[in-house]
Amino acid sequence: MELTLDALHLGNEFESMTLRGVDAARAEFAGKSFYDCEFVGLAAMQVDLNECVFEDCRFFQCDLTIASLRGANLRGVDFRNCKLMGIDWSPAGGLTFAVSFDACILSHCLFTDLRMKETQITNCKAHEASFAGVDLRGANFAGTDLRDARFLETNLEGADLSTATDYVISPEDNRLRDTKFSIEAALALVERFGVIV
C-alpha cells in the first residue's frame, strides 16, 4: 500500500507501506514508527529521524545525507544504492541496532562505539568514515572503498576485508584475530613491523 505525505503527517505508526519518489523536505518523520515499510527514491537531506523506529524496513535509492538519528531505533534495516553521507549513526546505537548497506555512499559517517557484529557493508564508498570503538566482528566489507576510513580500538575479529580497497588498519590499535585482508593490505601490515617481503 502506498503511503502519501498527507497520511504520514496524520499518522504515527505505519506497517507494510511504501513511500515512493517523494521530496521529503517538508515531511515530518520524527517520533514515528515504521514496520516492514519501503522507502524508494526519497529525497530527504538533513531529515529529522529523531526518536523514529524502523523495523524490517528497506531504503532504495534514497538521499538521507546528514540525517539526524538521535534516539532512533533501527532493527533489520537495509539500505541499497542510498546516499547517506555525513550521518552520525552513533545516537541510534542501542542494543537492537542492526543495519546493512549495499552500494551506498557512507563517506564522512560516524559509527562510533556501535555494535555492528556481522554487518554487511558491501560495494560501498566509505571515505573518511569513522569506525572508532565499533564492534565489527564478522562484518563483511566486500567491494567497499575505505579510503581514509578511521579504525581505532575497533574489533574486526573474523571480519572480511579481503576485497575492500584503500584501507590502513593498525594491528596495535585494533583487534584483528581471524580478520581476512587482501594481499596488498597484509603486505602493508607486515611492512609496518619492518619485515621486508
Side-chain angles (χ1 to χ4, degrees), residues 109-137:
C109 283
L110 300 175
F111 295 95
T112 310
D113 296 326
L114 288 174
R115 294 177 185 164
M116 297 176 66
K117 189 175 177 184
E118 299 181 0
T119 297
Q120 302 292 307
I121 303 175
T122 56
N123 305 306
C124 293
K125 183 186 289 186
H127 294 177
E128 298 182 52
S130 176
F131 296 97
V134 179
D135 183 352
L136 284 164
R137 285 176 289 172

Side-chain angles (χ1 to χ4, degrees), residues 3-12 14 19 22-34 47-50 52:
L3 174 60
T4 65
L5 278 180
D6 287 340
L8 178 66
H9 287 296
L10 294 172
N12 287 315
F14 306 93
L19 184 60
V22 170
D23 181 352
R26 297 181 310 272
E28 295 176 18
F29 285 90
K32 298 182 187 289
S33 298
F34 302 89
V47 66
D48 180 350
L49 300 177
N50 296 331
C52 282

